[in-house]
Amino acid sequence: MERVVDDALAFVKDVFCEDCSGHDYFHTLRVYKMAVKLAEQEQADLSIVRLAALLHDVDDVKLSPETCAKQDRAAGFLRAHGVSEDRIKTICKIIGEVSFKGSDSVTPETVEGKCVQDADRLDALGAIGIARAFAYGGSRGRTMYDPEVKPVENMDGAQYQSHCATTVNHFYEKLFLLKDLMNTDTAKKIAEQREDYMRHYLAEFMEEWDGMR
């Protein structure tokens, strides 16, 4: 198992070596560490959680739309390392459940999936979540903030995927929804603290924007 994990770390480091969108190798590493922490609390299958967390972004539709449908990268890596087809199916199902898709977001069926999903969503919150939001917006040429453009609520998966928000609107269209979507008690507590930090940040942002500071 350790050999497969080490190879997965090297694999994702290579895949994301040029990423500047906030979905880089270090994002994967943070998700991995948090997923393991949650899995230990929830007594989940660590071997499943570790591989699903490490490979969770390699076929993400935003980053690799050509491999997303069949999860070619993740499945190919696992097969090359002799992982059984049953385990590949389980891991790929978890990966497919991770992403936020507006009102079409799903709650994972397994405790392992819940741990990986929570870990990924926690990395979108807090100080690093703020940095990642602006990094992603910049990488896509998005406006930082426009007071005349209001957040769009209750988008389904297709609307969310095609929607081009300002970065500040993204806080309201996704990031501030995540706390209430957490699955595990540990993640809920962490999310509450991180969201509080983000709300204080946005309050300061708005005061500076309006020239009040």
Side-chain angles (χ1 to χ4, degrees):
M1 181 64 185
E2 294 307 317
R3 172 65 183 276
V4 180
V5 168
D6 288 344
D7 284 356
L9 284 164
F11 176 62
V12 296
K13 190 170 188 178
D14 181 63
V15 168
F16 299 120
C17 64
E18 297 182 356
D19 184 87
C20 296
S21 74
H23 296 81
D24 55 11
Y25 167 70
F26 295 105
H27 161 66
T28 294
L29 198 57
R30 289 190 302 271
V31 171
Y32 170 71
K33 291 177 179 178
M34 180 60 73
V36 168
K37 175 181 177 178
L38 297 176
E40 290 172 343
Q41 292 287 329
E42 300 296 323
Q43 299 183 329
D45 185 329
L46 277 172
S47 64
I48 294 290
V49 168
R50 293 170 80 187
L51 290 174
L54 286 172
L55 299 172
H56 83 279
D57 261 350
V58 298
D59 296 300
D60 187 280
V61 67
K62 300 184 296 297
L63 310 173
S64 185
E66 68 279 6
T67 70
C68 178
K70 295 183 179 179
Q71 297 177 324
D72 295 332
R73 284 176 169 170
F77 173 87
L78 294 167
R79 288 193 181 100
H81 285 76
V83 178
S84 71
E85 288 299 319
D86 283 346
R87 279 187 168 261
I88 291 173
K89 183 178 180 180
T90 297
I91 291 167
C92 286
K93 187 175 191 304
I94 289 171
I95 293 171
E97 295 170 337
V98 167
S99 293
F100 178 83
K101 299 174 183 176
S103 61
D104 291 329
S105 299
V106 300
T107 300
E109 294 180 3
T110 64
V111 64
E112 291 79 18
K114 290 175 181 178
C115 291
V116 176
Q117 186 185 73
D118 280 1
D120 183 53
R121 290 177 172 179
L122 283 173
D123 205 56
L125 299 177
I128 287 176
I130 293 169
R132 290 185 65 223
F134 284 102
Y136 184 79
S139 76
R140 296 301 188 269
R142 293 182 177 179
T143 303
M144 186 168 64
Y145 176 55
D146 184 340
E148 294 185 2
V149 178
K150 305 303 180 186
V152 178
E153 298 180 351
N154 302 317
M155 287 183 283
D156 62 23
Q159 290 170 322
Y160 178 77
Q161 186 174 332
S162 63
H163 181 59
C164 185
T166 69
T167 296
V168 168
N169 281 1
H170 183 65
F171 282 64
Y172 297 97
E173 293 169 348
K174 174 186 175 181
L175 304 183
F176 288 152
L177 305 179
L178 297 180
K179 174 174 64 70
D180 293 334
L181 296 176
M182 294 295 166
N183 303 291
T184 65
D185 290 340
T186 301
K188 289 174 184 177
K189 292 175 183 176
I190 297 171
E192 186 173 357
Q193 297 169 350
R194 293 189 182 187
E195 183 187 294
D196 186 60
Y197 181 91
M198 295 174 80
R199 289 190 181 278
H200 279 89
Y201 168 82
L202 270 191
E204 175 70 19
F205 180 100
M206 293 304 176
E207 290 203 5
E208 292 181 16
W209 185 274
D210 291 333
M212 300 302 290
R213 285 187 186 270

